[in-house]
Amino acid sequence: MAKLGVNVDHVATLRQARGGSEPDPVAAAAIAELAGADGITIHLREDRRHIQDRDLKIMRQTVQTKLNLEMAATDEMIAIALAVKPECCTLVPEKRAELTTEGGLDVRIHQEALKVAIEKLQAGGIIVSLFIDPDPDQIKVANKIGADYIEIHTGSFADAPTWKEEEQELIKIENAVKLARKLDLGVNAGHGLNYTNVKKVAAIGGIEEFNIGHSIMSRAILVGLDRAVRDMSELVRYS
């Protein structure tokens, strides 16, 4: 049965839009856990556009399930992670100009630097996941450099303009899950998943956790965060 990690970055985005103190992503994380979330995901970006260092530090003290820190593999972020010690760090690509993460890490090109980052984080007792496209070559290199998990970037599937292209992307995800499992890598998935398309990915099986933020927070505006998390949790677990 798959688990649900709720990303609360967008709560912080709304807070930062006015430069005040509300809504508080720490409070949102607590509500999400009470509603059945299996973990909380946050992305501490270099430019601090939404989640702040204060949020990370408080959530490390208050999150009762699992804290997953998305981050670039920079010296600054590695030092922060080793000081705070979330259960898991997911290494992601990061560009200042992007609205949201646009694709997976190119592990093949950056394998030496990523290997060093993975080793440092693991030495600190932190599980390390790499956010990558459903590409067999990327998965093989992720395994080679010692990652514990991969998180499959599902954005191309979610954004597919036609039914045929969506099916092709779904096959790529399914094959990626099979390969990762064969290599004894843990498998998570996320990006662009919503209340309609997540069922197709969850039906593949073999994915341990879905990390979802935007869709949940969008529905929360209309029906409340508790209901939004419960609805997504049911889809992820029982599809």
Side-chain angles (χ1 to χ4, degrees), residues 45-94:
R45 281 181 170 266
E46 178 192 16
D47 61 10
R48 307 302 198 269
R49 68 175 64 172
H50 39 56
I51 292 295
Q52 305 297 302
D53 296 69
R54 165 262 185 199
D55 302 321
L56 172 60
K57 291 176 182 177
I58 295 177
M59 282 192 218
R60 175 61 291 174
Q61 297 173 350
T62 58
V63 167
Q64 300 297 304
T65 52
K66 182 187 78 172
L67 183 61
N68 172 36
L69 174 62
E70 293 183 342
M71 54 180 257
T74 63
D75 290 340
E76 178 199 16
M77 290 302 162
I78 292 170
I80 290 172
L82 290 173
V84 177
K85 292 190 181 297
E87 280 82 9
C88 178
C89 283
T90 300
L91 302 182
V92 302
E94 190 172 301

